Amino acid sequence: MRVRVITRPLWYPLATGMAALALAATARAQTATTPAGWVAAVHRAQRDFEALRRNHLPWAAGGGGSGHCDAQIGRFCYWHGDRYEPPPVESEVVFRARMGLLALLDSASAAIPSDDWIAGQRVRYWLEMGQPDSALASLWACAATGWWCDALRGLAEHEAGRDTMSLQAFDAALAEMPPQDRCHWLDLSPVLQGDLADRYRHTGCAERQRVDARIWWLADPFYSRPGNDREAEHYSRLAMVRIAAASVWPEAQFWGNDLAELMVRYGWARWFARERPSRMSDPSYPIVGHDPQPSLAFLPSARAFDSPVDAEPADWDLTAYAAASRYAPPYVRVVEPVRALFSRFARGDSQIVVAAWDARGDSLLGRAASVASVVATTDERQRWMARVAGAEPWGGVAVTAPSRGLVVGVELLADSAYAAGRVRQGLAALSAPGEAALSDILFFRPDTAVPTRLAEVVPRAVTGVGAGDAPSIGMYWELRDPALDTARAMDVSLSIERTHAGWWDRTRRMFHLGGSDAPIALSWHDLARPVAGIVGRAVVVDLSPLDDGVYRVRLRVRVAGRPPFETARPLTLNRR
């Protein structure tokens, strides 16, 4: 992503003598004897440093967005970058000048320890150099406003990748803030869009914390990582807005609501470059700010927010082009979608969720072993997770969670930390605790003996999409019924029906030319011998009579003296 200044600054101090000006400001500061003198000295030194920095910025190659704006925000044009661009090596002159400015800010902080502005600038310039621990060290004896010290700690911890500690600091800051400031920090309307944004604007300050908690729960980039870096990023942006509001920024623009909105929605630029003027006679040039990229849209849709257990993977469109807000996780550069299938099995007052995933078709995720995590959540604080280290790009994992509606996901992190995979969706409760229930159909590879227990099936679980050249597929299910305490007769029927018909199938049906809409139909009598009220069964079905296409597998189970149970699941065959 990049940000280009629309209003071009018409003046820039000459680079010659800038270092001397910065040294002069430092010399003036050494003679400051009053708080007002210190404040004047550090503000002047910052102006001189930023002027020096602007005149040593690298030149942008290619003009970036070529005048096209993906979002026009006040004076600024924002457009999406499509690849990772490492920042260039900073000029030694700029580095030395920043260290001089930091030394001056340290002296000013010792003279005026309660000054909020000085505390913020010390954190800002340490973070610019990629040294969050030095930024934290500068806050060791922070005597500025209490909540502001906590917010600055949250910012530095987030930049260090310690998001659990970051959110703890931000929670403390929110608890201490004056009500007006807290209401502003809890306002998510700038980063939302559509119907959800419209409804959110009518949310009062007292309700925002509850609503925000659900949004951040659903927006967490990876449930398998501690903390929630997307939430910590949002509060960090607000902290940076407060730092920048009374500061000189590399764009050389006066502060305004457009710059604040830009930072809250897309973050702050991590490095800058000058764009060459279009005409040789033009003495001005715009400055391009480069955000971390490629960045993604992690916030959920309105449908996912309203009913998380009914959410589908499409409710998290990470690559949504017109997203109101974006974020680039620093620990990965690519996040790919993952194909997965989730199956539920009742166990007392809990349920086992089996996730089968397949990322073999992805050139990035399929190249190396990964850490695979299956996560089930019910809110922002409760997570149940199973993790497999050194996993293949396909497989199955089971996790035990409460018997209630969940948001579940599969997350893959490649060993290289370059690429990650993710899929997420809602999952309604299979049944209330203690009620009878038929599980979902769990597909598995029939490469060994037919399994008799769920634990034997899980490692062989498949997604049921793209059977390849496999001539058959295994199907496992369970019937949980607390009333089953003795062996009983059981009738089972299973059919595989085509759901997406081509022109020939539609013609055949119209003229009754023969053939069957259920090319595979099986039924048999069985004897249910329950173990703790659970009957598990597995069958292997020959798929060779079926053409490629999308099918629906239907299962019906009836035990003597009990009502019938039914379930269905899609199956896709693709042998090309």
Side-chain angles (χ1 to χ4, degrees):
M1 297 183 190
R2 300 163 184 166
V3 178
R4 182 163 63 91
V5 178
I6 295 297
T7 305
R8 296 186 176 190
L10 298 179
W11 63 272
Y12 287 89
L14 295 175
T16 305
M18 285 297 101
L21 288 174
L23 290 173
T26 304
R28 286 194 298 273
Q30 302 303 323
T31 63
T33 57
T34 65
W38 276 106
V39 169
V42 292
H43 277 272
R44 177 62 184 273
Q46 184 184 70
R47 289 195 297 271
D48 290 343
F49 167 73
E50 293 299 344
L52 171 69
R53 187 220 296 260
R54 283 192 293 273
N55 282 275
H56 285 80
L57 290 176
W59 292 102
S66 305
H68 169 71
C69 296
D70 295 322
Q72 178 94 39
I73 303 175
R75 298 161 290 167
F76 296 88
C77 171
Y78 171 85
W79 67 84
H80 309 309
D82 57 0
R83 67 184 188 278
Y84 171 75
E85 293 185 63
V89 177
E90 185 176 62
S91 164
E92 181 70 19
V93 173
V94 176
F95 173 80
R96 291 181 179 276
R98 185 188 291 104
M99 293 303 296
L101 176 59
L102 274 167
L104 178 60
L105 287 166
D106 290 344
S107 299
S109 178
I112 324 173
S114 61
D115 190 280
D116 285 359
W117 186 88
I118 293 174
Q121 300 310 313
R122 295 173 78 196
V123 170
R124 167 192 168 183
Y125 285 115
W126 279 120
L127 293 182
E128 277 192 359
M129 292 192 295
Q131 299 189 36
D133 288 332
S134 295
L136 280 169
S138 75
L139 298 167
W140 183 76
C142 183
T145 303
W147 74 263
W148 180 233
C149 291
D150 285 331
L152 291 174
R153 290 189 185 97
L155 168 61
E157 293 284 12
H158 172 59
E159 290 296 293
R162 298 184 287 262
D163 292 300
T164 299
M165 298 179 68
S166 172
L167 289 175
Q168 290 173 353
F170 282 125
D171 285 344
L174 289 167
E176 299 167 11
M177 282 180 194
Q180 185 174 355
D181 289 319
R182 182 165 55 252
C183 187
H184 169 67
W185 277 58
L186 293 175
D187 183 10
L188 298 186
S189 55
V191 301
L192 303 176
Q193 60 192 121
D195 177 62
L196 184 56
D198 293 340
R199 287 184 283 146
Y200 186 89
R201 293 187 185 98
H202 295 91
T203 303
C205 290
E207 302 174 73
R208 282 181 181 168
Q209 203 147 12
R210 176 184 59 82
V211 175
D212 290 4
R214 172 174 282 196
I215 292 174
W216 290 131
W217 161 45
L218 298 172
D220 190 344
F222 289 91
Y223 288 139
S224 57
R225 289 177 53 85
N228 183 335
D229 52 303
R230 182 61 187 88
E231 181 181 7
E233 170 73 11
H234 179 75
Y235 294 133
S236 296
R237 293 175 181 181
L238 290 171
M240 190 59 74
V241 164
R242 193 171 191 262
I243 290 172
S247 309
V248 181
W249 213 248
E251 289 98 330
Q253 298 289 316
F254 64 84
W255 185 259
N257 291 335
D258 49 2
L259 260 174
E261 181 180 348
L262 198 64
M263 283 191 183
V264 171
R265 289 173 59 180
Y266 305 114
W268 63 94
R270 303 309 175 102
W271 60 281
F272 298 86
R274 293 174 288 179
E275 188 176 282
R276 297 190 184 279
S278 56
R279 300 187 304 275
M280 293 296 294
S281 60
D282 189 352
S284 65
Y285 48 81
I287 292 177
V288 180
H290 293 250
D291 299 345
Q293 55 182 300
S295 56
L296 303 168
F298 289 102
L299 274 76
S301 70
R303 181 175 62 175
F305 173 83
D306 291 335
S307 182
V309 300
D310 296 318
E312 299 175 359
D315 288 307
W316 288 272
D317 185 1
L318 303 188
T319 58
Y321 194 77
S325 181
R326 306 176 78 88
Y327 165 60
Y331 44 87
V332 294
R333 294 183 187 171
V334 179
V335 180
E336 296 289 325
V338 175
R339 186 168 66 240
L341 188 67
F342 299 91
S343 305
R344 301 159 296 174
F345 297 85
R347 291 288 187 277
D349 60 354
S350 63
Q351 60 182 327
I352 296 176
V353 177
V354 179
W357 74 87
D358 192 341
R360 285 175 292 182
D362 189 285
S363 60
L364 294 174
L365 296 174
R367 282 189 307 205
S370 304
V371 175
S373 301
V374 176
V375 188
T377 70
T378 56
D379 56 39
E380 70 278 10
R381 299 192 183 277
Q382 293 185 297
R383 303 178 186 182
W384 295 266
M385 181 170 60
R387 177 173 292 172
V388 179
E392 298 292 338
W394 53 273
V397 171
V399 63
T400 301
S403 184
R404 54 188 290 195
L406 303 167
V407 171
V408 296
V410 172
E411 299 172 359
L412 306 178
L413 290 173
D415 289 344
S416 64
Y418 175 87
R422 197 193 92 165
V423 64
R424 183 173 297 173
Q425 70 176 64
L427 202 63
L430 184 64
S431 65
E435 289 185 355
L438 180 63
S439 74
D440 296 312
I441 301 170
L442 176 57
F443 299 123
F444 65 90
R445 299 187 312 277
D447 46 8
T448 58
V450 176
T452 58
R453 298 182 298 114
L454 178 60
E456 299 171 359
V457 182
V458 171
R460 298 156 59 182
V462 295
T463 63
V465 176
D469 295 327
S472 58
I473 191 168
M475 302 182 190
Y476 177 87
W477 67 88
E478 289 181 351
L479 175 64
R480 192 278 299 271
D481 190 345
L484 292 178
D485 51 3
T486 60
R488 297 192 190 181
M490 181 171 66
D491 294 322
V492 182
S493 63
L494 185 146
S495 65
I496 304 178
E497 305 169 354
R498 189 165 192 140
T499 56
H500 292 179
W503 67 270
W504 166 246
D505 294 284
R506 292 193 295 271
T507 303
R508 176 180 54 79
R509 292 175 185 175
M510 182 182 301
F511 294 101
H512 306 286
L513 296 179
S516 172
D517 290 333
I520 292 181
L522 307 172
S523 62
W524 64 94
H525 300 290
D526 202 344
L527 183 63
R529 294 185 175 91
V531 177
I534 296 176
V535 177
R537 289 291 184 268
V539 298
V540 175
V541 180
D542 181 11
L543 301 177
S544 57
L546 303 181
D547 295 329
D548 288 354
V550 179
Y551 296 83
R552 180 166 295 275
V553 180
R554 297 184 184 277
L555 175 68
R556 189 174 189 270
V557 178
R558 181 163 188 166
V559 178
R562 303 293 290 163
F565 297 90
E566 294 185 4
T567 188
R569 171 138 275 180
L571 172 68
T572 301
L573 302 182
N574 182 4
R575 299 185 179 88
R576 296 184 182 89

